[in-house]
DNA sequence: TTAAACTTTCAAAAATAAATGAAAGTTTAA
DNA sequence: TTAAACTTTCATTTATTTTTGAAAGTTTAA
């Protein structure tokens, strides 16, 4: 396999993976492209390489910057803007999980809290509902915390220990 | 908030959360409904409660069973089939992560392996590509293993210890 | 200033994903 | 058997999401 083919395959795969996880395909593809580029890329080049429109490129770059995983870069003497991706994978994972937590998990937890604290009269049905949603609240909270803290441990002794034992 | 309202809110929220994570809304809603039901539910009742068609109910129940998180149940003297959800949350998480790993992560890893092992000539560009995709491969592999092993630790001493320290 | 070079916005179009429902298939009781 | 009771399938329709592209907006060099 030659370089160009490999690069394309990577971008396509990353895009497909993204859309299976609720991230739009183009956004994931742009991110993939920037990840494997050794230097900042202009919007024009992104459009060209992914065969997408200006508007699409612009909106998804904006979204990636909102997620904090793509940065604008200015080159001396250049009018255009260039873009780079966060390339440190621990940092990337940390930012993604922080954003998803903020945007999706936290609001869901709020609702779970609400519905799990209704007054559960006496029917078995209602009791089960309260019981199950309470468990779910605790579980999601725990999972969210773990994800949140996970990256802090990535390169340190405890993380390594845990990984070792987990093997 | 009264029971019915709370139940509905829960089902809607779970559905929305699902679709943000690449699981179709109805599938997530059916799962939510079964999760908080203290007894097995017939297809008829699911259709009624979620206001969906027979075909939709059938296909999504099938998908949920393929994921191994919903079971068919037969009641003595009843012709119809009834459905229940996996209610043990650790088990649920374990099954979901196993399935996603099998369906999405593993194939992606295969591609990552492929593209990261091209011969990297001498250009900085190609070297960077190989370097970055190799790192990504290692990272995804590690993350996949962690998820895989995580649930094994959920209720045991080490898991608790790690969680405690993580706080 | 101003006009060229560039980016963003957003209504409309296109693409994709999900849902419907009727026909086909299956199971079971009689 | 067979017919009633139920489930599954899948071509078509509907809904949702994404993309386009032209107009509006912004920035900067002269």
């Amino acid at each position: 396999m030659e370089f160009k083919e490999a690069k394309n395959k990577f971008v396509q795969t990353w895009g497909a993976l993204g859309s299976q996880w609720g991230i739009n395909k183009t956004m994931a593809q742009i991110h993939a492209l920037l990840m494997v580029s050794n230097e900042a890329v202009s919007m024009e080049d992104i459009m060209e390489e992914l065969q997408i429109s200006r508007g699409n490129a612009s909106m998804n770059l904006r979204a990636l910057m909102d997620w904090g995983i793509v940065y604008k870069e200015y080159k001396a003497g250049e009018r255009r803007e260039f873009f780079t991706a966060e390339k440190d994978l621990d940092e990337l994972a940390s930012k993604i999980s922080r954003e998803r937590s903020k945007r999706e998990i936290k609001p869901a937890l709020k609702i779970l809290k609400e519905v799990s604290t209704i007054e559960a009269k006496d029917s078995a049905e209602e009791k089960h509902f309260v019981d199950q949603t309470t468990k779910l609240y605790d579980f999601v909270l725990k999972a969210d915390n773990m994800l949140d803290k996970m990256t802090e441990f990535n390169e340190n002794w405890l993380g390594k220990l845990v990984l070792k034992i987990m093997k």
Side-chain angles (χ1 to χ4, degrees), chain A:
Chain A
M1 192 161 29
E2 55 142 343
F3 173 59
K4 266 197 147 177
E5 188 191 346
K7 186 171 172 184
N8 189 256
K9 200 164 192 176
F10 170 68
V11 170
Q12 297 305 322
T13 304
W14 209 238
L17 199 62
S19 55
Q20 281 168 319
W21 286 81
I23 285 139
N24 105 35
K25 193 183 66 179
T26 304
M27 188 170 155
Q29 285 180 343
I30 294 177
H31 183 251
L33 185 62
L34 296 178
M35 285 260 287
V36 296
S37 296
N38 58 339
E39 44 188 48
V41 184
S42 71
M43 201 158 95
E44 208 69 39
D45 288 347
I46 293 171
M47 289 164 57
E48 166 65 23
E49 198 143 0
L50 301 180
Q51 289 293 304
I52 57 173
S53 71
R54 190 170 295 287
N56 196 7
S58 174
M59 291 180 91
N60 283 302
L61 280 166
R62 152 62 44 131
L64 285 163
M65 288 187 294
D66 288 348
W67 278 63
I69 58 180
V70 160
Y71 315 111
K72 249 185 201 168
E73 231 171 58
Y74 297 96
K75 286 193 184 175
E78 277 272 18
R79 183 69 164 278
R80 305 174 287 173
E81 299 169 340
F82 292 80
F83 301 89
T84 13
E86 174 62 62
K87 292 197 183 71
D88 177 334
L89 297 176
D90 293 328
E91 190 58 25
L92 176 67
S94 163
K95 288 197 164 167
I96 289 176
S97 79
R98 249 206 304 287
E99 282 300 303
R100 295 210 94 154
S101 171
K102 191 172 74 190
R103 296 173 194 216
E104 297 151 18
I105 312 292
K106 293 281 155 52
L109 275 171
K110 190 161 163 284
I111 305 284
L112 269 179
K113 187 93 198 173
E114 274 175 48
V115 302
S116 67
T117 51
I118 61 169
E119 214 185 324
K121 311 239 178 75
D122 36 21
S123 78
E125 194 187 9
E126 302 199 9
K127 273 184 186 141
H128 179 263
F129 177 84
V130 168
D131 184 51
Q132 195 66 17
T133 51
T134 302
K135 280 182 182 152
L136 206 47
Y137 175 83
D138 292 341
F139 186 87
V140 174
L141 188 63
K142 191 171 84 178
D144 186 44
N145 279 334
M146 280 194 81
L147 279 175
D148 197 33
K149 303 288 176 185
M150 201 116 84
T151 52
E152 290 175 17
F153 284 83
N154 244 310
E155 291 307 332
N156 65 26
W157 65 273
L158 184 55
K160 280 183 180 164
L161 172 65
V162 171
L163 280 175
K164 205 165 239 168
I165 302 171
M166 278 179 167
K167 273 283 161 99

